Amino acid sequence: MKSPGALAALLAISLTASAVELTAADGGTFAVLDRQQAPTQIYYPLSLKDGKWLMEGKQAGAPWTDLSCETGCEYRASTDAEVQAHVPSAWRERADFTCIRNVAQAFCRYSAKGNTAAAPNYVVIALVTGQPVPLFVRRTVSAP
């Protein structure tokens, strides 16, 4: 799990986004980052199709697996209260977060407060562990 200090370091070189809802431009294939911020062999493609967010998962050499839920637990925009519940306050003091979520996880775009010139950063937050667990991700060109 990342510490608030690690997030501060990421935000220092941060990419940005505004505090509006996620759009199709936020979609793509994302690699999960390890503790040294290097890409792992775990990938998450996220896309917006027909107004619904779809997420898949993949480990290198394995087939894609649909991570989207059945009817009733689709991704939807997170409320301000939900963002406050799953994003630590120290992080929210330094960055603006916009998230979508389902019952299992949230996918969030974040940017350093006041930084409107750079591209966005993203984090997946597991919500089924009793306490939110962040998985930092980075957009990739493609996954093996």
Side-chain angles (χ1 to χ4, degrees), residues 47-54:
S47 60
L48 182 62
K49 292 183 183 173
D50 299 325
K52 291 187 178 191
W53 286 102
L54 305 172

Side-chain angles (χ1 to χ4, degrees), residues 17-41:
S18 62
V20 298
E21 286 191 20
L22 296 178
T23 68
D26 291 303
T29 300
F30 297 85
V32 174
L33 304 178
D34 65 17
R35 291 187 184 272
Q36 291 74 41
Q37 303 306 309
T40 66
Q41 296 296 306

Side-chain angles (χ1 to χ4, degrees), residues 11 13-19 26 95-96 109-122:
L11 292 175
I13 58 171
S14 182
L15 312 169
T16 198
S18 62
D26 291 303
D96 293 316
R109 176 184 65 210
Y110 66 93
S111 61
K113 289 191 181 275
N115 183 355
T116 60
N121 283 301
Y122 299 93

Side-chain angles (χ1 to χ4, degrees), residues 76-87 92 97 99 101 132:
R76 60 170 175 75
S78 296
T79 65
D80 289 340
E82 289 168 336
V83 172
Q84 289 179 13
H86 55 255
V87 176
R92 294 190 321 270
F97 285 80
C99 305
R101 63 165 291 160

